[in-house]
Amino acid sequence: MFGRGSFNQLGDVIASKRIHPDSYFVFVLDDVFAGKPLEKRLPLQGRDLLLPVNVDDEPKTGYIDNLVEQIRAYSPIKPDGIVGIGGGSTMDIAKAVSLMLNNPGSSADYQGWDLIQNPSVYHVAVPTLAGTGAEISRTAILTGPVKKLGINSDHTLFHQIVLDPELLAGVPTDQWFYTGMDCYIHDVESLQGTFINEFSKAYGEKSLDLCRQVFLEDHPERDDKLMMASYFGGMSIAYSQVGACHALSYGLSYVLGIHHGIGCCIAFDYLDEIYPEGVEEFRRMMDKHRITLPRGLTADLDDQKLDLMVTTALNLVPLWENCLGPDWQKKMTPERCLALYKRM
Ligand code: NAD
Ligand code: ZN
């Protein structure tokens, strides 16, 4: 669903999914909205559970397992559905929880591709930030005990998405920019990658066009445009892949806990050699919105941590293959990767 005010229809949308008389819905809400008007607008009924989540750290498998336990402790009956309201982190939490309610063990057991056996509980996305494409992707990205890797499966996909651009009002400019650039970088990495195909190109080109309108021009309906850009960017990478920037941002995130959007911005700023036009345009977008990025992040890191960063990045084989082709290992050696990190 798309449109200003479409959030008001959430109650109607889930009404037909309230199947079991003793069951309930769980509203997974980014705690940034605790006590805010949005919380009061949630269509809670009967035994529905409001589950505020904190995303100061990006979602961890232990956190997901804990939330699932909380829901099981709340009721022996499974919820009829889960609604995730927030940015990429909250949407990923909602996806992972809805999967884990129907699959045994820890969420860490399912980090990988198509390891999920049972379909999820019905789940709905309500993004309050635009850019990650988490609303449309088939992954829920989690940091586990040994790796940062998503639960990738067909069952991860949301059953319903409510895109209400009004929910972006009030996002601080920095956060709006970082998450929006995640989308811009998805497009550049998808379009410039070796995996590119007509499906990904169709969505990627439109998303890139919308990003340019949002970040280089001035439009009263820029939030509407950014929500569609995010969705289309997600569709583009669904059939291709991201590249060097995302691989490097995973290393920053795993070792330093840097969030995805800002991590992508930090890494992208050093990738002129790989994405010359994209990086030049990105810098114009930064200037226009007066964004400054943190520097010197790796200056105090010991060799062990730097090595871990390099290994984390280089383990993402499909991303490098998409970016640099099948002989990527000759082009992105551990030394070159380390040198890039040291400049950050
Ligand atoms: P986020 O969800 O991590 O939130 C960033 C900050 O913005 C948080 O402090 C949050 O509380 C706050 N926030 C959210 N909505 C707000 C609003 N309307 N107003 C004010 N503050 C608000 O940010 P993100 O960039 O949307 O998501 C990043 C996460 O998404 C990472 O965990 C990343 O791994 C994940 N991700 C997932 C996919 C996927 O396909 N599943 C793709 C890319 C990124
Ligand atoms: Zn991304």
Side-chain angles (χ1 to χ4, degrees):
M1 293 170 60
F2 175 84
R4 289 185 173 259
S6 56
F7 180 77
N8 294 331
Q9 291 171 54
L10 180 61
D12 293 342
V13 167
I14 61 175
S16 65
K17 305 293 171 186
R18 294 185 182 274
I19 295 164
H20 304 99
D22 296 327
S23 188
Y24 54 98
F25 260 73
V26 179
F27 291 81
V28 174
L29 178 71
D30 186 322
D31 67 4
V32 76
F33 297 110
K36 297 276 159 57
L38 188 66
E39 186 189 283
K40 297 184 184 71
R41 290 174 62 204
L42 295 174
L44 269 83
Q45 283 183 15
R47 303 201 59 244
D48 286 355
L49 174 65
L50 176 62
L51 194 63
V53 291
N54 184 273
V55 298
D56 289 347
D57 290 331
E58 291 191 346
K60 295 196 168 64
T61 52
Y63 191 49
I64 301 297
D65 297 350
N66 185 280
L67 291 170
V68 172
E69 268 169 41
Q70 278 184 50
I71 296 171
R72 290 196 175 124
Y74 176 73
S75 169
I77 300 168
K78 267 185 206 162
D80 273 338
I82 308 281
V83 184
I85 308 122
S89 297
T90 306
M91 288 190 273
D92 280 355
I93 292 171
K95 288 173 171 178
V97 165
S98 65
L99 287 165
M100 293 314 299
L101 283 165
N102 278 346
N103 286 277
S106 162
S107 51
D109 303 339
Y110 300 96
Q111 285 181 281
W113 280 270
D114 304 304
L115 303 172
I116 289 283
Q117 301 295 322
N118 306 316
S120 71
V121 167
Y122 173 82
H123 54 303
V124 182
V126 184
T128 64
L129 288 174
T132 63
E135 63 277 17
I136 187 61
S137 74
R138 76 192 283 283
T139 187
I141 302 178
L142 301 178
T143 303
V146 288
K147 59 196 166 197
K148 182 177 175 186
L149 185 62
I151 304 184
N152 297 268
S153 83
D154 287 344
H155 303 301
T156 309
L157 280 164
F158 283 107
H159 295 90
Q160 179 64 268
I161 315 168
V162 178
L163 300 176
D164 184 346
E166 280 178 3
L167 301 184
L168 301 187
V171 178
T173 303
D174 283 15
Q175 188 62 56
W176 168 81
F177 186 84
Y178 300 145
T179 304
M181 281 304 110
D182 188 19
C183 174
Y184 176 76
I185 296 166
H186 289 163
D187 300 336
V188 171
E189 297 203 299
S190 171
L191 290 168
Q192 249 191 257
T194 61
F195 295 1
I196 194 64
N197 54 76
E198 289 306 323
F199 182 99
S200 296
K201 215 166 135 185
Y203 285 108
E205 283 176 348
K206 184 64 198 175
S207 178
L208 191 62
D209 172 39
L210 287 165
C211 283
R212 286 178 176 141
Q213 294 180 43
V214 170
F215 293 103
L216 292 173
E217 299 170 13
D218 295 299
H219 293 277
E221 67 282 24
R222 72 173 192 186
D223 289 342
D224 308 54
K225 290 178 188 288
L226 190 54
M227 279 218 150
M228 284 321 297
S230 173
Y231 183 92
F232 274 34
M235 288 297 283
S236 181
I237 49 175
Y239 237 80
S240 61
Q241 193 39 284
V242 286
C245 179
H246 272 73
L248 293 170
S249 92
Y250 269 56
L252 290 174
S253 159
Y254 195 67
V255 176
L256 293 172
I258 293 176
H259 277 231
H260 185 82
I262 187 169
C264 284
C265 288
I266 292 166
F268 202 57
D269 205 21
Y270 294 93
L271 290 174
D272 320 60
E273 285 174 22
I274 297 178
Y275 306 112
E277 288 122 24
V279 173
E280 184 273 325
E281 190 167 59
F282 162 77
R283 290 187 185 136
R284 277 195 281 129
M285 292 174 174
M286 277 214 295
D287 285 348
K288 180 164 164 69
H289 298 285
R290 299 200 177 86
I291 302 290
T292 46
L293 293 170
R295 307 265 176 203
L297 293 162
T298 55
D300 297 330
L301 289 184
D302 58 33
D303 288 350
Q304 209 185 343
K305 290 238 167 70
L306 282 167
D307 279 350
L308 180 59
M309 231 180 225
V310 170
T311 322
T312 305
L314 294 185
N315 274 346
L316 294 159
V317 174
L319 282 66
W320 292 107
E321 236 171 51
N322 175 46
C323 177
L324 299 171
D327 59 345
W328 66 271
Q329 276 167 314
K330 289 194 193 118
K331 297 176 185 160
M332 187 49 68
T333 58
E335 294 73 31
R336 185 175 174 198
C337 186
L338 179 65
L340 279 166
Y341 275 134
K342 281 192 168 166
R343 290 174 62 203
M344 297 177 199

